[in-house]
Amino acid sequence: MDQNETKVAIVTGGSKGIGRAIALELARNQYHVIVNYKSDTAGADETVNMLKKEGFSGETSQFDVSDVQESKKALDQIISRFKNIDVLVNNAGIAADGLFVMMPEKDWDAVITTTLKGFYNVTKPIIKRMIPKKKGSIVSISSVAGLIGNRGQANYSAAKAGLIGASRSIAAEVARLGIRVNVVAPGLIQTDMIKEAPVDVIKKMIPMARIGQPEEVAKVVRFLCSDDASYITGQVISVNGGMV
């Protein structure tokens, strides 16, 4: 692999679900994919093995996006190895649901820190790398909950809405520098996050009357990272089966 010519994409939270689907989709579009994970080593290894079985290249990178020093150390090593970081997908996030009046402070802090502080910890060093190159695409994975709210998810909704506000602001700051910053907001997607959810009830709320697949989100991310989306920045693309 010629590290001076390779297109490089970093996907945080890439060990399963939407993150894994994004990693595979980007690999299929000739990116060397760096799959970040916090603790699911087996899952991250499986993601990389899946893309290698298809003949593509990738590697894992273990660090906690919510830890600024841990993130900096890992990203410094990545940046030192590759001439360009072409794509960053901020997918890492957690949920700790509960009614707001009963929500422990630790659950509020954990969700906000992982999703929103993690966005800061990863995006800042990567965007500083992209600026002198005058190119790059950053896509963050928000949620329908960040657009319309959701009962029992005040912390999750706040974090996902924060991604939208931050991304739109940064998009305006770096647009003239050749860097695009966008957001994808999935609805109900078939991942571990909804495995305990009443799916039959939820489907009645969705105009398309079905749960989405991770690959359907990944294809939109791939488009936003491609030259086909060269005039798109500061936008939120919903992938939610028609939910309003």
Side-chain angles (χ1 to χ4, degrees):
M1 181 174 60
D2 185 343
Q3 294 180 345
N4 288 326
E5 300 299 330
T6 302
K7 294 194 303 181
V8 177
I10 300 172
V11 179
T12 69
S15 64
K16 59 187 176 182
I18 291 173
R20 171 177 288 172
I22 292 169
L24 288 166
E25 187 69 25
L26 292 175
R28 290 168 185 149
N29 283 267
Q30 309 308 313
Y31 287 92
H32 174 76
V33 182
I34 299 172
V35 177
N36 157 261
Y37 69 102
K38 178 182 177 181
S39 58
D40 185 7
T41 302
D45 286 343
E46 184 177 353
T47 299
V48 172
N49 288 336
M50 288 171 70
L51 62 90
K52 286 185 175 180
K53 283 180 181 178
E54 294 189 25
F56 306 115
S57 67
E59 62 187 86
T60 62
S61 180
Q62 182 177 18
F63 62 93
D64 180 355
V65 298
S66 71
D67 186 315
V68 65
Q69 294 302 324
E70 196 172 314
S71 298
K72 183 179 184 304
K73 181 179 179 181
L75 292 169
D76 282 349
Q77 292 176 349
I78 293 169
I79 289 168
S80 70
R81 290 174 51 212
F82 294 97
K83 179 180 178 181
N84 299 316
I85 306 297
D86 300 275
V87 165
L88 167 63
V89 180
N90 290 299
N91 173 69
I94 61 170
D97 296 347
L99 294 176
F100 180 71
V101 295
M102 301 174 64
M103 185 175 291
E105 182 181 3
K106 66 179 180 62
D107 287 354
W108 177 272
D109 288 347
V111 172
I112 297 293
T113 300
T114 300
T115 298
L116 208 48
K117 183 66 187 307
F119 168 89
Y120 173 87
N121 291 343
V122 176
T123 304
K124 185 177 179 181
I126 295 302
I127 210 166
K128 288 174 72 175
R129 176 65 167 177
M130 290 176 172
I131 286 172
K133 305 294 182 179
K134 293 192 177 345
K135 66 175 183 176
S137 177
I138 297 169
V139 178
S140 293
I141 307 302
S142 180
S143 168
V144 65
L147 294 170
I148 63 175
N150 194 29
R151 183 179 182 273
Q153 288 193 314
N155 50 0
Y156 186 78
S157 297
K160 294 299 189 179
L163 286 179
I164 293 171
S167 295
R168 282 177 163 159
S169 296
I170 295 167
E173 294 175 1
V174 301
R176 295 190 179 201
L177 300 173
I179 301 165
R180 294 178 292 107
V181 184
N182 291 290
V183 177
V184 173
L188 278 295
I189 306 298
Q190 193 67 58
T191 66
D192 288 349
M193 191 170 284
I194 68 161
K195 63 183 178 181
E196 303 297 331
V199 173
D200 289 339
V201 175
I202 292 171
K203 285 196 291 188
K204 295 177 182 179
M205 302 164 52
I206 304 171
M208 292 186 74
R210 69 175 178 86
I211 304 299
Q213 297 300 313
E215 293 75 17
E216 294 176 296
V217 179
K219 290 180 186 299
V220 176
V221 174
R222 183 261 301 157
F223 165 71
L224 289 173
C225 294
S226 74
D227 290 341
D228 290 338
S230 58
Y231 200 51
I232 300 175
T233 195
Q235 303 304 305
V236 181
I237 310 297
S238 293
V239 185
N240 61 23
M243 296 177 71
V244 178

